[in-house]
Each structure stands twice: as structure tokens, then as C-alpha cells.
Amino acid sequence: MACIVKQKVGNNTYLYESTSYRNSEGKPRNKRCLIGKINR
């Protein structure tokens, strides 16, 4: 399942696509891919 995550870093805000999966031990993990910076 993928979703869009907004994260504030310092004075900037970035959008990431977050994909959830389970590792070989069965524990939940996330992979994030940067989409871009939000201009204000």
C-alpha cells in the first residue's frame, strides 16, 4: 500500500511516497521516495 507523506525538515516541507511492506522476519517496514519540495 502506498500513501503520500508530508514531512517538515527545518523551514522546508517535502512530499514523499511511502510504501509499506514486511521484511523477512515479518516486521512492518516502510520505503520512502522523495516526490518534491513544497514552495511557500
Side-chain angles (χ1 to χ4, degrees), residues 10-26:
N11 292 331
N12 301 315
T13 303
Y14 296 92
L15 288 178
Y16 293 91
E17 179 183 18
S18 178
T19 305
S20 300
Y21 68 98
R22 292 193 179 263
N23 65 8
S24 60
E25 298 173 358

Side-chain angles (χ1 to χ4, degrees), residues 6-7 11-15 35-40:
K6 185 170 33 170
Q7 180 178 8
N11 292 331
N12 301 315
T13 303
Y14 296 92
L15 288 178
I35 295 173
K37 180 179 171 182
I38 297 176
N39 294 327
R40 290 189 176 199

